[in-house]
Amino acid sequence: MSKLKISEDWTSTIVGWFIIFLVVFQLKPHWPSFSWPDADALMNKVFTLDNVGHALIVFCFMFLMALIAGVLTGKKLKMIAASFPVVFFLTLLAMVVSGNKFLKEWGFETVIFSLLIGLFISNIFSIPRWLKESLSSELFVKIGLVLLGTSVLFDDLLKAGSLGLIQSCVVVFTVWNFCFWLCRKMKIDKEMSLMLSSAVSICGVSAAVATAGAIKGDKTKLSYVVSLVLVVAVPMILIMPGLAKLMGLPEDMAGAWIGGTIDTTGAVAATGAIYGEVALQTSTIVKFSQNVLLGIAAFLISIYWSYSKKEVTEEKPTLKVIWLRFPKFVLGFVAASLVFSFFVGPEIVADAKPILKHIQGMWFALAFMSIGLETDFKSLITSENRRSTYAFLGAQAFNVVFTLLVAWVLFGLIAPK
């Protein structure tokens, strides 16, 4: 009897949609709390017996999904049974650290702590071979991306209004192309160029992860781009409200500027709130409308990458070759977005989205813990990455200036006073 083996792309789509069905039909775990402002809350809220019990239930749920994915991909179940608990409980540690109120307000996300903890362990201690060989970072990323589709709703485009939608389309298209052009001018490889361009122009971490999945990008490069996005977002939280005040921008214009330039949704909300209630609403809506464009961008990048990646024979790829190269999980992502946007009732969406977002975040955190555990820190410090940093900063500077100009035209000249 032949052993069952399905590709990671189809496996991630199957598991992702299985999770979606379970959640929609109310089979969902109670999510534990990781938020704590001080040590007292940490002990009396996060480390309570009840909360730890919820964490164990989540572990059982995620473990079962990982085992199903392992069966579909033909992996040895004993390897998953040995490695997944290690990765999960290290990831729980990262989630507890990132739950600190101070770190949340500064825009630090769980994925950065997952990556840092994984890098610390792998570069200080010797990782057992059985653990390294059984890590499934790419599979975890792809499952998370399929689930991400449920939160990329086309309704957000309507909420953004015509001005927010126009700004998002103009800014994403222009900044993406500028960054890609700058990267190629600086002789950065195409793979890194695509990840940087998507991260700086669309929605930071999610865009970088989606692009890396679409082009089967190098995990070390992805981890560097994610770190870059999150580190650059921190000073922008403080600098942008100050600059907006200095220029005397009205709240809607300042919010459009903030939402179009800062690369993480959490940091956008924090920065908008500093400036005012209207700025918070406008910045969040603009960022949501950019997030919606992620699905379109991932699909187009997948087609571009499939078509541009030449065979040894240098023959132009046929439709069959493009289909074989095309990352099938993108179809699961787009399908989730379309179904939750147009075919599922708003009550079901409102009920399912929070838990799906938690589960999606957990898969991403597990993936970055795995990437950290299998990465040599020295591989992050390269001349290529230094050039990538300069390109990212240059593109972000262009983004700040260009988005301010677009926001001024749309919300200052065109919008009714």
Side-chain angles (χ1 to χ4, degrees), residues 50 64-65 90 144 237 314 336 417:
D50 188 49
L64 177 61
M65 297 302 110
L90 287 174
I237 295 175
E314 296 294 321
K417 300 294 187 288

Side-chain angles (χ1 to χ4, degrees), residues 51-119:
N51 203 54
V52 171
H54 291 321
L56 288 174
I57 292 171
V58 169
F59 165 72
C60 293
F61 178 82
M62 300 294 288
F63 191 28
L64 177 61
M65 297 302 110
L67 288 172
I68 292 172
V71 169
L72 294 176
T73 53
K75 287 190 174 181
K76 294 179 180 178
L77 291 186
K78 64 180 181 181
M79 292 180 68
I80 299 172
S83 64
F84 186 84
V86 175
V87 177
F88 182 88
F89 287 108
L90 287 174
T91 303
L92 274 187
L93 173 62
M95 298 183 87
V96 170
V97 173
S98 66
N100 178 260
K101 182 182 178 183
F102 175 78
L103 295 174
K104 271 188 174 181
E105 288 174 348
W106 278 85
F108 286 109
E109 299 183 19
T110 300
V111 290
I112 191 65
F113 294 104
S114 290
L115 180 62
L116 290 175
I117 290 172
L119 283 172

Side-chain angles (χ1 to χ4, degrees), residues 9 43 68 88 99 150 172 198 228 233 237 239 254 278 289 332 391 408 410:
D9 281 1
M43 297 306 299
I68 292 172
F88 182 88
T150 63
V172 168
S198 296
L228 198 55
I237 295 175
I239 293 171
V278 175
S289 65
W408 175 72
L410 293 174

Side-chain angles (χ1 to χ4, degrees), residues 325-365:
R325 293 174 179 169
F326 189 83
K328 311 304 185 297
F329 80 90
V330 173
L331 300 178
F333 170 90
V334 173
S337 179
L338 292 173
V339 168
F340 268 62
S341 295
F342 303 114
F343 300 104
V344 177
E347 299 84 7
I348 296 176
V349 172
D351 183 52
K353 266 182 70 176
I355 188 65
L356 285 171
K357 187 172 179 61
H358 283 311
I359 297 172
Q360 166 231 308
M362 176 64 82
W363 284 115
F364 280 171

